[in-house]
Amino acid sequence: MNPIKQITQQLISLNIRPSFQRIKVLEYLIDHQTHPSADDIYKALVSTIPTLSKSTVYNTLELFIEKGLVKPLMIEENEALYDIILEQHGHFKCTSCGSIFNFDVSLTLPSDDTLLGFKIVDQNVCFKGICNKCLMNT
Amino acid sequence: MNPIKQITQQLISLNIRPSFQRIKVLEYLIDHQTHPSADDIYKALVSTIPTLSKSTVYNTLELFIEKGLVKPLMIEENEALYDIILEQHGHFKCTSCGSIFNFDVSLTLPSDDTLLGFKIVDQNVCFKGICNKCLMNT
DNA sequence: ATCATTGCAAACACTTTGCATACGC
DNA sequence: GCGTATGCAAAGTGTTTGCAATGAT
C-alpha cells in the first residue's frame, strides 16, 4: 500500500472524507514534523494545488484537531503551530535560532494538592533557552 | 510605606520611571494575579485613567517583560495573558469554565539526552482538562 | 531644553466568516 | 441531485507602529 493510499485509509477510518486537499495537508504534516504554521503548510502546498486557499488549510487543520489527529501549539506569540499527534512529548524552543526540538518528558504531578480531583486531559510542556549549537557559536 | 510608594520603589529599583500609568498597571498585576489579558488591564484601568490608551498598556507590559517583572503566557489560542513573576509554577486551564489555576510543578528532566548541553532559561507547563468544580456539576 | 512617555489613528498579521461555485457520492 | 468541501473576498481581532502632543527633569 503506497503512502497516499495509507493516508486516505487513515482519514476514512476517522470519518474524514479524503479530499485531495485533506490528503495533502495530512501528508505534509506526516512528512514535516517541524511544527509548521498554517501559512507554512499553505505555502508548501499551493505549488501543488494552485487553487488552494488558506481557508481550506484552516478548515482542514480545525477538522484534524477535532478528530484528535493534530494538536495546536502556542509556542510563538503571534501564530499557531501545528503538531501531528504522536506520543506525549515536550518542546524546547531555542530563542536564538528559533528551532523547536521535541523531547521526552516525564512530569511528576504537583507536590501540593491544587489539582486534586481534576481531570487532566492534555499536558503541554515548553522550555525556552539556547540550544547547544547556538551556545557553541558564541 | 503605603502600597503605591512600595510599587514606585520597585519600579525605580528596576530602572523603570514610575509614571502613573506604569504604577497602575503594576498595581493591577499585583492585585489581580488572575492572568489578565492586555485588554482586561486596559478595561480595568480606563475608568481610573480615562485617557489611557491600549498602546500604553502594551508598551508597559513589554517593558515589564524586558525587565523580568512579567511573563507572557500563551494559554489562549488568540491572545496573550500576563503573569507577574513569582516562583516557578505551572498552569491548569479548565476547558469547561475557562478558569486558570496555578500549581507547583516539579519537572524531572527529559529521560533521553535530546536537551544535553542546552541552556534552559524558561520552563512552561500548562495542563488542560476539567477542574473538580466542573466535574461535580455534571 | 531635552528626552522619555503617552495617546490616537492607522497599519499589520493571523484567523474566521459568508457565500457562491464546484465536487463527489 | 444533494450535501459537503472549496475558494475567494471581506470582516474581525489582537497587536504593533508612526507620529504629534504631553510630561518630567
Side-chain angles (χ1 to χ4, degrees):
Chain A
M1 188 155 70
N2 72 41
I4 297 292
K5 269 261 157 68
Q6 214 169 315
I7 290 169
T8 308
Q9 284 311 315
Q10 188 176 358
L11 288 175
I12 291 172
S13 73
L14 288 165
N15 274 310
I16 301 172
R17 273 213 211 159
S19 75
F20 185 60
Q21 288 83 340
R22 287 168 178 173
I23 291 170
K24 282 298 174 188
V25 170
L26 182 50
E27 185 187 32
Y28 183 88
L29 287 169
I30 292 171
D31 290 350
H32 304 83
Q33 297 183 17
T34 52
H35 321 93
S37 67
D39 198 55
D40 291 335
I41 298 169
Y42 172 77
K43 285 215 200 82
L45 295 186
V46 77
S47 50
T48 328
I49 320 170
T51 63
L52 183 68
S53 89
K54 284 232 184 119
S55 325
T56 302
V57 175
Y58 281 111
N59 284 340
T60 303
L61 288 170
E62 188 56 36
L63 182 67
F64 286 178
I65 291 167
E66 274 168 33
K67 299 292 186 176
L69 204 57
V70 161
K71 179 170 156 177
L73 307 177
M74 300 310 296
I75 296 177
E76 303 294 332
E77 315 259 303
N78 48 341
E79 66 179 355
L81 305 182
Y82 299 89
D83 205 15
I84 189 153
I85 294 179
L86 308 163
E87 345 81 70
Q88 175 88 292
H89 62 270
H91 295 102
F92 176 96
K93 164 155 187 182
C94 175
T95 51
S96 170
C97 67
S99 308
I100 296 171
F101 301 80
N102 292 349
F103 66 87
D104 290 349
V105 64
S106 47
L107 279 169
T108 44
L109 273 179
S111 45
D112 61 6
D113 58 358
T114 325
L115 300 191
L116 210 63
F118 284 33
K119 183 180 173 195
I120 297 170
V121 172
D122 184 28
Q123 301 186 172
N124 300 281
V125 177
C126 180
F127 290 3
K128 297 187 183 178
I130 316 285
C131 72
N132 56 358
K133 209 168 180 179
C134 287
L135 277 174
M136 282 190 281
N137 292 343
T138 48
Chain B
M1 191 154 68
N2 71 41
I4 297 292
K5 269 260 156 69
Q6 214 170 317
I7 289 168
T8 309
Q9 285 310 316
Q10 187 175 1
L11 288 175
I12 291 173
S13 73
L14 288 166
N15 272 310
I16 299 172
R17 276 215 210 158
S19 75
F20 185 59
Q21 287 83 339
R22 286 168 178 172
I23 291 170
K24 282 298 175 187
V25 170
L26 182 50
E27 186 187 31
Y28 183 88
L29 288 168
I30 292 171
D31 290 350
H32 304 81
Q33 297 182 18
T34 50
H35 320 92
S37 66
D39 197 54
D40 291 335
I41 299 169
Y42 172 77
K43 284 214 200 82
L45 295 185
V46 79
S47 50
T48 328
I49 319 170
T51 63
L52 182 68
S53 90
K54 282 231 185 122
S55 325
T56 302
V57 175
Y58 280 110
N59 284 341
T60 304
L61 288 169
E62 189 56 38
L63 183 66
F64 287 177
I65 291 167
E66 276 169 32
K67 300 292 185 176
L69 203 57
V70 161
K71 179 170 156 176
L73 307 177
M74 300 309 297
I75 296 177
E76 302 294 334
E77 314 259 303
N78 49 338
E79 67 180 354
L81 305 182
Y82 300 88
D83 205 13
I84 190 152
I85 294 180
L86 308 163
E87 343 81 70
Q88 175 88 291
H89 62 270
H91 295 102
F92 177 96
K93 166 159 185 179
C94 175
T95 50
S96 169
C97 66
S99 308
I100 296 171
F101 302 81
N102 291 350
F103 65 88
D104 290 350
V105 65
S106 46
L107 280 168
T108 45
L109 273 178
S111 45
D112 61 5
D113 59 358
T114 325
L115 300 191
L116 210 63
F118 284 33
K119 182 181 173 194
I120 297 170
V121 171
D122 183 30
Q123 301 187 171
N124 299 282
V125 177
C126 180
F127 290 2
K128 296 188 184 179
I130 315 285
C131 71
N132 56 359
K133 207 168 180 179
C134 287
L135 277 175
M136 282 191 282
N137 292 341
T138 49

